[in-house]
Amino acid sequence: MNRGATVLDDRYPTRLSDLPALLERADPTVWDDGRVPGPLSADELAAHERDGFVTVGGLLDPAEVTAFSAELHRLATDPLVRADERTVVEKTSSEVRSIFEVHRLSRAVAELVGDERVAGRARQILGGDVYVHQSRINYKPGFGGGGFYWHSDFETWHAEDGMPAPRAVSISIALTENFAHNGCLMIMPGSHRTFVSCVGETPAEHYKQSLREQEIGTPDRDSLRMLADRYGIAMMTGPAGSATVFDANCMHGSADNITPYPRSNIFVVFNSVDNALQAPFAADRPRPEHVAARERTPVVGGSA
Amino acid sequence: MNRGATVLDDRYPTRLSDLPALLERADPTVWDDGRVPGPLSADELAAHERDGFVTVGGLLDPAEVTAFSAELHRLATDPLVRADERTVVEKTSSEVRSIFEVHRLSRAVAELVGDERVAGRARQILGGDVYVHQSRINYKPGFGGGGFYWHSDFETWHAEDGMPAPRAVSISIALTENFAHNGCLMIMPGSHRTFVSCVGETPAEHYKQSLREQEIGTPDRDSLRMLADRYGIAMMTGPAGSATVFDANCMHGSADNITPYPRSNIFVVFNSVDNALQAPFAADRPRPEHVAARERTPVVGGSA
């Protein structure tokens, strides 16, 4: 592991020592002062700057929700897709949990990703051209489907993918209703301004394990307690078709889902073309292309 | 197991066949038409009749919350209590999760149980004298403390303790704030009117396992889906000191708790003295006295 070599230019050191630390974010959240035109209002950009996320009601209309749900079902039951290494299967039930690089497996998803409603918001926040760092469809079953412990995506992307700055946003588009009780996304509003430097070393091929259940790169309890006390915890509830746009460094997680209501969403991470991946900051080698794209082809817009 | 012997008088058959069934409740929820005087208003009694639960704001005042929290801490750290068979320890972390028969281990809890604010509400709902079927203190840690899957308490008390009718209520008194995000109690409002007959046979000494994580005596997925669609899911949120009074047959459960905020409560089950335990309806032998009291000494009132 390249401990030491890049530390001098690394403003977000993590997994390099045995001491956790809270570091002030060194980069903007809304780039280029929000001057790139797009669907977000000035108030929404301000909310994103302040909270690290912004919710979008009705990003998809009901017919689109139906069509994308059918597409998800088609993909999850396609034996070729199921056998593909881009598909992650639930630990206990062997149900499909995620399908990565879904914008290359599905033309419909590819079009949605390029849509102004989606890529347009990312360009606006990140101040210019963006490319797809990661895309996936998530399926979270009911009756006990597992949650995800607290983490910052950027911590992983920085440590394992070599993403230099948190100049990336995720868009999660709900295909099912998110209730407070069925394991919805929880975000600590404002936590994107604090980088939690995590302890521990990244094991080889860590991503194969961490995509199911993450252990390394999770924040320590004292840091989480401080962040939660300072920022609180918001629950991203809303009907199918609504979306959450959130900064790469938001502290987020989800509880398990014992209700009968499964959750599924389309999840796209956009990175700025000016934030090219380097060598990983705390891992031996980069994760594979389908988890963290290194090719920076700008997304070209289609309109709604 | 005494399959068959008691089936004719058993209006709530469960764990006796391989087919689940939804049975209409054969008993009242508020007994004796709510004519026993007590702290609940007519509207609250009507809500309890309709929903199967009623919430009580500020049952304990802040000073009492502090005192009972200290008492909980004292008990959980007392080596004698920890070693007692009435204490249940968390599967993974070895933290104390529950202490049973706590009204016999703590004078303060005993007084609270007999208090008109607590026993008075139970007498009012159950139409006369009550005794303590079970009491416990629950401690649910943060940072991943486990939840409880959906179940009806009465299903267990009937099958394993021989409780003939759902003429029992539970009172859960919060010692910490219950948020939507930290694994609060979830109830399907109105579900107390439907008895879900469960499949499977009760293994010997099942309680030792089921108090940590229940598997037998849990409803099937189709029944849960029907109940949730029909009744919805309510989350019992509220500040420390608030309480939830709920019918023995409510379908309820809780998610896990990844937040930093632990939850603890005092939990008392009152049974009507006219609803004496019989032989278990679907188990070889009754559970021990500290989990399900067979001695029916009526609770005598103290006032607030």
Side-chain angles (χ1 to χ4, degrees):
Chain A
M1 197 163 81
N2 57 355
R3 289 195 177 217
T6 56
V7 167
L8 282 181
D9 2 323
D10 185 1
R11 294 166 305 158
Y12 302 102
T14 187
R15 308 189 198 180
L16 298 173
S17 82
D18 297 330
L19 283 178
L22 299 181
L23 307 174
E24 190 82 10
R25 182 190 185 104
D27 288 288
T29 301
V30 174
W31 293 68
D32 206 23
D33 294 331
R35 278 172 303 196
V36 173
L40 291 166
S41 69
D43 282 354
E44 288 173 319
L45 283 173
H48 185 80
E49 174 81 44
R50 180 186 70 233
D51 299 331
F53 66 88
V54 61
T55 56
V56 184
L59 187 138
L60 297 182
D61 67 32
E64 289 175 310
V65 168
T66 305
F68 281 108
S69 299
E71 180 70 352
L72 180 156
H73 181 73
R74 185 187 71 76
L75 291 164
T77 52
D78 178 333
L80 281 179
V81 173
R82 222 191 131 80
D84 196 292
E85 67 154 344
R86 292 173 285 190
T87 300
V88 177
V89 164
E90 177 99 3
K91 224 170 174 180
T92 46
S93 72
S94 84
E95 284 184 274
V96 169
R97 180 159 176 163
S98 301
I99 301 169
F100 278 77
E101 222 177 38
V102 66
H103 69 297
R104 296 194 187 225
L105 290 165
S106 159
R107 176 181 298 270
V109 174
E111 283 171 9
L112 176 63
V113 166
D115 192 290
E116 178 66 12
R117 292 173 291 175
V118 180
R121 287 185 162 88
R123 276 190 290 265
Q124 208 179 352
I125 289 169
L126 302 179
D129 274 344
V130 297
Y131 71 97
V132 176
H133 172 69
Q134 185 186 94
S135 81
R136 59 183 203 256
I137 274 186
N138 292 313
Y139 176 79
K140 192 167 183 177
F143 300 115
F148 257 98
Y149 194 67
W150 300 106
H151 64 288
S152 149
D153 289 330
F154 174 65
E155 194 278 341
T156 296
W157 301 338
H158 186 67
E160 303 192 22
D161 300 338
M163 184 184 285
R167 192 173 181 173
V169 285
S170 300
I171 303 189
S172 174
I173 305 167
L175 296 179
T176 51
E177 183 158 356
N178 289 313
F179 302 96
H181 55 57
N182 73 338
C184 68
L185 174 65
M186 304 194 287
I187 299 180
M188 300 188 191
S191 61
H192 64 297
R193 293 193 295 267
T194 303
F195 181 78
V196 181
S197 179
C198 299
V199 302
E201 243 184 90
T202 312
E205 305 223 302
H206 178 233
Y207 73 95
K208 289 189 179 170
Q209 165 63 19
S210 70
L211 297 179
R212 296 182 184 205
E213 192 174 12
Q214 187 161 358
E215 280 164 17
I216 306 291
T218 53
D220 63 292
R221 292 183 172 196
D222 286 341
S223 296
L224 284 177
R225 207 178 275 116
M226 283 181 66
L227 290 183
D229 287 348
R230 189 187 296 169
Y231 297 123
I233 297 172
M235 305 183 87
M236 303 294 118
T237 57
S242 61
T244 303
V245 181
F246 63 105
D247 182 83
N249 190 47
C250 284
M251 188 57 71
H252 65 289
S254 60
D256 62 0
N257 175 16
I258 67 168
T259 79
Y261 307 115
R263 289 172 53 241
S264 53
N265 59 56
I266 299 172
F267 191 90
V268 191
V269 182
F270 295 99
N271 190 25
S272 165
V273 293
D274 296 328
N275 193 33
L277 302 192
Q278 308 176 6
F281 287 83
D284 277 334
R285 68 187 66 187
R287 299 191 297 174
E289 190 75 18
H290 70 271
V291 177
R294 305 190 82 79
E295 192 200 308
R296 284 179 293 145
T297 315
V299 173
V300 285
S303 66
Chain B
M1 197 162 82
N2 57 357
R3 289 197 177 214
T6 56
V7 167
L8 281 181
D9 0 324
D10 184 1
R11 294 166 306 158
Y12 301 102
T14 187
R15 309 190 198 180
L16 299 173
S17 84
D18 298 329
L19 283 179
L22 299 180
L23 307 174
E24 190 82 10
R25 182 190 184 104
D27 288 287
T29 302
V30 174
W31 292 70
D32 205 23
D33 294 331
R35 277 173 303 195
V36 173
L40 292 166
S41 69
D43 281 354
E44 288 173 320
L45 283 173
H48 185 80
E49 174 81 44
R50 180 187 69 233
D51 299 331
F53 65 88
V54 61
T55 56
V56 184
L59 187 139
L60 297 181
D61 66 34
E64 288 175 311
V65 168
T66 304
F68 280 109
S69 298
E71 180 70 351
L72 180 157
H73 181 74
R74 185 187 70 78
L75 291 164
T77 52
D78 178 335
L80 281 180
V81 173
R82 224 190 129 79
D84 196 294
E85 69 153 343
R86 292 173 286 191
T87 300
V88 177
V89 165
E90 177 98 2
K91 225 170 173 179
T92 45
S93 71
S94 84
E95 283 184 274
V96 169
R97 180 160 175 161
S98 302
I99 302 169
F100 279 77
E101 222 177 36
V102 65
H103 70 297
R104 297 194 185 222
L105 290 166
S106 158
R107 176 180 297 271
V109 175
E111 283 171 9
L112 177 63
V113 166
D115 191 290
E116 177 67 11
R117 293 173 290 175
V118 181
R121 287 185 162 87
R123 277 190 289 266
Q124 207 180 353
I125 289 169
L126 302 179
D129 275 344
V130 296
Y131 70 98
V132 176
H133 172 70
Q134 186 185 94
S135 80
R136 60 183 201 258
I137 274 187
N138 292 312
Y139 176 78
K140 192 167 183 177
F143 300 115
F148 258 98
Y149 195 66
W150 300 107
H151 63 287
S152 149
D153 289 330
F154 174 65
E155 194 279 340
T156 296
W157 300 339
H158 186 67
E160 303 191 22
D161 301 338
M163 184 184 284
R167 193 172 180 174
V169 285
S170 299
I171 302 188
S172 174
I173 304 166
L175 296 179
T176 50
E177 182 157 358
N178 289 312
F179 302 96
H181 55 57
N182 73 339
C184 67
L185 174 65
M186 304 194 286
I187 298 180
M188 299 187 191
S191 61
H192 64 298
R193 293 192 295 266
T194 303
F195 181 78
V196 181
S197 180
C198 299
V199 302
E201 242 184 88
T202 312
E205 305 222 304
H206 178 233
Y207 74 95
K208 290 189 180 171
Q209 165 63 18
S210 69
L211 297 180
R212 296 181 184 206
E213 192 174 12
Q214 189 162 357
E215 280 163 17
I216 306 292
T218 53
D220 63 293
R221 292 183 171 196
D222 285 341
S223 296
L224 284 177
R225 208 177 275 117
M226 284 180 65
L227 290 183
D229 287 347
R230 189 187 297 169
Y231 297 123
I233 296 172
M235 305 184 86
M236 303 293 118
T237 57
S242 61
T244 303
V245 181
F246 63 105
D247 182 83
N249 190 47
C250 284
M251 189 58 70
H252 65 289
S254 60
D256 62 0
N257 175 16
I258 68 167
T259 79
Y261 308 115
R263 289 171 54 241
S264 54
N265 59 55
I266 299 172
F267 191 89
V268 191
V269 183
F270 294 99
N271 189 25
S272 166
V273 294
D274 297 327
N275 194 33
L277 302 192
Q278 307 176 5
F281 287 84
D284 277 335
R285 68 187 66 185
R287 300 190 297 173
E289 189 76 17
H290 70 271
V291 177
R294 305 191 81 80
E295 192 200 309
R296 283 177 293 145
T297 314
V299 174
V300 286
S303 67

